[in-house]
Amino acid sequence: SANRRLTLVSAPAGHGKTALVSGWLGACGTPYAWLSLDEHDDDLDTFLVYLVAAVRTAWPQALDDFARLLNTPTPLPPHRLADALLQGLLALPGPLIFALDDYHTLTAPSIHAFMVRLVEHLPPHVHLVLMTRADPPLPMERLRAGQAMGEIRAAGLRFSLEEARLLLEQLLEPEIPPESIAETAYLLEDSTEGWAVGLQLAALSLRGQADPAAVP
């Protein structure tokens, strides 16, 4: 949809959210800003400083006015800061994909208020990708109703049997013959439920095994 401005990648740990999005960003050719979050970023001022730095990895001259606003002695409310950032994003010289990883680590109400305003008014040349273990406090139903959000969930991140086989080929060949890889892929896809990290760890543990399909 042309209205889609947010992609939500929501799944538990180990499902390959980061690998999926980073691989897509590397292949799509659009300038992107990546921000990996943790509990130390759970403060609006800190979050916004890192946000500006991330955008500038794609567009180095961007957001000068917004950055100056962050240094004013009187703090602005979240919706005013969001409006100021939106003005800066409107002035970008080209498109931007903005990816926030581990968004579930942010709990500050001021950050969520800022993000609600931002998501609902993103300009069409800016796309936001949120990777999270839990759905964020955004107006999800309204975004869905307006076809403004795409969603990738755990089921969509699960490796199929064929994808598991291809992954094992990359990790294990030429150490293990193709016929053994096919059988091993079936066993590991079933035992790991197709989780990306589980498949990779299991495959790496099989290196050096004479008969990996026989390993429980």
Side-chain angles (χ1 to χ4, degrees), residues 184 187-188 202 205-206 209-216:
T184 304
L187 294 172
L188 291 185
S205 74
L206 295 179
Q209 298 286 349
D211 184 7
V215 177

PDB file of all heavy atoms in Angstrom, residues 184 187-188 202 205-206 209-216:
ATOM      1  N   THR A 184      19.117 -34.240   7.771  1.00  0.00           N
ATOM      2  CA  THR A 184      19.393 -33.415   8.938  1.00  0.00           C
ATOM      3  C   THR A 184      18.477 -32.199   8.971  1.00  0.00           C
ATOM      4  O   THR A 184      17.991 -31.788  10.031  1.00  0.00           O
ATOM      5  CB  THR A 184      20.867 -32.954   8.937  1.00  0.00           C
ATOM      6  OG1 THR A 184      21.705 -34.095   8.870  1.00  0.00           O
ATOM      7  CG2 THR A 184      21.194 -32.163  10.185  1.00  0.00           C
ATOM      8  N   LEU A 187      15.135 -33.108  10.411  1.00  0.00           N
ATOM      9  CA  LEU A 187      15.166 -33.301  11.857  1.00  0.00           C
ATOM     10  C   LEU A 187      15.298 -31.973  12.603  1.00  0.00           C
ATOM     11  O   LEU A 187      14.619 -31.733  13.598  1.00  0.00           O
ATOM     12  CB  LEU A 187      16.329 -34.231  12.231  1.00  0.00           C
ATOM     13  CG  LEU A 187      16.221 -35.673  11.736  1.00  0.00           C
ATOM     14  CD1 LEU A 187      17.522 -36.411  11.996  1.00  0.00           C
ATOM     15  CD2 LEU A 187      15.048 -36.387  12.392  1.00  0.00           C
ATOM     16  N   LEU A 188      16.190 -31.102  12.119  1.00  0.00           N
ATOM     17  CA  LEU A 188      16.420 -29.836  12.816  1.00  0.00           C
ATOM     18  C   LEU A 188      15.258 -28.871  12.647  1.00  0.00           C
ATOM     19  O   LEU A 188      14.910 -28.136  13.572  1.00  0.00           O
ATOM     20  CB  LEU A 188      17.713 -29.184  12.326  1.00  0.00           C
ATOM     21  CG  LEU A 188      19.016 -29.887  12.717  1.00  0.00           C
ATOM     22  CD1 LEU A 188      20.208 -29.052  12.271  1.00  0.00           C
ATOM     23  CD2 LEU A 188      19.077 -30.137  14.217  1.00  0.00           C
ATOM     24  N   ALA A 202      22.193 -25.339  16.153  1.00  0.00           N
ATOM     25  CA  ALA A 202      22.175 -26.795  15.986  1.00  0.00           C
ATOM     26  C   ALA A 202      23.113 -27.217  14.862  1.00  0.00           C
ATOM     27  O   ALA A 202      23.860 -28.191  14.990  1.00  0.00           O
ATOM     28  CB  ALA A 202      20.751 -27.271  15.715  1.00  0.00           C
ATOM     29  N   SER A 205      26.706 -27.018  15.896  1.00  0.00           N
ATOM     30  CA  SER A 205      27.075 -28.082  16.833  1.00  0.00           C
ATOM     31  C   SER A 205      27.339 -29.397  16.120  1.00  0.00           C
ATOM     32  O   SER A 205      27.973 -30.295  16.677  1.00  0.00           O
ATOM     33  CB  SER A 205      25.971 -28.263  17.874  1.00  0.00           C
ATOM     34  OG  SER A 205      24.840 -28.909  17.316  1.00  0.00           O
ATOM     35  N   LEU A 206      26.837 -29.520  14.882  1.00  0.00           N
ATOM     36  CA  LEU A 206      27.004 -30.759  14.129  1.00  0.00           C
ATOM     37  C   LEU A 206      28.310 -30.817  13.344  1.00  0.00           C
ATOM     38  O   LEU A 206      28.652 -31.861  12.797  1.00  0.00           O
ATOM     39  CB  LEU A 206      25.836 -30.945  13.157  1.00  0.00           C
ATOM     40  CG  LEU A 206      24.458 -31.138  13.798  1.00  0.00           C
ATOM     41  CD1 LEU A 206      23.406 -31.294  12.721  1.00  0.00           C
ATOM     42  CD2 LEU A 206      24.460 -32.342  14.719  1.00  0.00           C
ATOM     43  N   GLN A 209      30.727 -33.897  13.161  1.00  0.00           N
ATOM     44  CA  GLN A 209      30.046 -35.154  13.433  1.00  0.00           C
ATOM     45  C   GLN A 209      30.089 -36.046  12.185  1.00  0.00           C
ATOM     46  O   GLN A 209      29.799 -35.607  11.080  1.00  0.00           O
ATOM     47  CB  GLN A 209      28.582 -34.894  13.802  1.00  0.00           C
ATOM     48  CG  GLN A 209      28.401 -34.063  15.054  1.00  0.00           C
ATOM     49  CD  GLN A 209      28.694 -34.848  16.321  1.00  0.00           C
ATOM     50  OE1 GLN A 209      28.830 -36.054  16.290  1.00  0.00           O
ATOM     51  NE2 GLN A 209      28.819 -34.129  17.428  1.00  0.00           N
ATOM     52  N   ALA A 210      30.405 -37.308  12.368  1.00  0.00           N
ATOM     53  CA  ALA A 210      30.481 -38.216  11.224  1.00  0.00           C
ATOM     54  C   ALA A 210      29.117 -38.464  10.614  1.00  0.00           C
ATOM     55  O   ALA A 210      28.976 -38.545   9.391  1.00  0.00           O
ATOM     56  CB  ALA A 210      31.093 -39.566  11.672  1.00  0.00           C
ATOM     57  N   ASP A 211      28.085 -38.546  11.443  1.00  0.00           N
ATOM     58  CA  ASP A 211      26.738 -38.794  10.953  1.00  0.00           C
ATOM     59  C   ASP A 211      25.787 -37.842  11.659  1.00  0.00           C
ATOM     60  O   ASP A 211      25.182 -38.193  12.675  1.00  0.00           O
ATOM     61  CB  ASP A 211      26.334 -40.252  11.214  1.00  0.00           C
ATOM     62  CG  ASP A 211      24.946 -40.558  10.617  1.00  0.00           C
ATOM     63  OD1 ASP A 211      24.408 -39.677   9.908  1.00  0.00           O
ATOM     64  OD2 ASP A 211      24.418 -41.645  10.883  1.00  0.00           O
ATOM     65  N   PRO A 212      25.652 -36.595  11.168  1.00  0.00           N
ATOM     66  CA  PRO A 212      24.840 -35.613  11.881  1.00  0.00           C
ATOM     67  C   PRO A 212      23.399 -36.018  12.012  1.00  0.00           C
ATOM     68  O   PRO A 212      22.718 -35.641  12.953  1.00  0.00           O
ATOM     69  CB  PRO A 212      24.991 -34.345  11.017  1.00  0.00           C
ATOM     70  CG  PRO A 212      25.398 -34.836   9.676  1.00  0.00           C
ATOM     71  CD  PRO A 212      26.218 -36.071   9.926  1.00  0.00           C
ATOM     72  N   ALA A 213      22.868 -36.772  11.062  1.00  0.00           N
ATOM     73  CA  ALA A 213      21.465 -37.151  11.148  1.00  0.00           C
ATOM     74  C   ALA A 213      21.214 -38.094  12.321  1.00  0.00           C
ATOM     75  O   ALA A 213      20.093 -38.238  12.770  1.00  0.00           O
ATOM     76  CB  ALA A 213      21.026 -37.819   9.837  1.00  0.00           C
ATOM     77  N   ALA A 214      22.281 -38.732  12.829  1.00  0.00           N
ATOM     78  CA  ALA A 214      22.115 -39.645  13.949  1.00  0.00           C
ATOM     79  C   ALA A 214      22.218 -38.942  15.289  1.00  0.00           C
ATOM     80  O   ALA A 214      21.946 -39.521  16.338  1.00  0.00           O
ATOM     81  CB  ALA A 214      23.183 -40.739  13.868  1.00  0.00           C
ATOM     82  N   VAL A 215      22.591 -37.652  15.288  1.00  0.00           N
ATOM     83  CA  VAL A 215      22.741 -36.919  16.544  1.00  0.00           C
ATOM     84  C   VAL A 215      21.374 -36.514  17.047  1.00  0.00           C
ATOM     85  O   VAL A 215      20.585 -35.936  16.309  1.00  0.00           O
ATOM     86  CB  VAL A 215      23.619 -35.669  16.337  1.00  0.00           C
ATOM     87  CG1 VAL A 215      23.712 -34.876  17.633  1.00  0.00           C
ATOM     88  CG2 VAL A 215      25.005 -36.081  15.857  1.00  0.00           C
ATOM     89  N   PRO A 216      21.035 -36.791  18.312  1.00  0.00           N
ATOM     90  CA  PRO A 216      19.695 -36.451  18.815  1.00  0.00           C
ATOM     91  C   PRO A 216      19.522 -34.961  18.941  1.00  0.00           C
ATOM     92  O   PRO A 216      20.479 -34.238  19.111  1.00  0.00           O
ATOM     93  CB  PRO A 216      19.651 -37.141  20.193  1.00  0.00           C
ATOM     94  CG  PRO A 216      21.089 -37.326  20.593  1.00  0.00           C
ATOM     95  CD  PRO A 216      21.850 -37.498  19.317  1.00  0.00           C
TER      96      PRO A 216
END
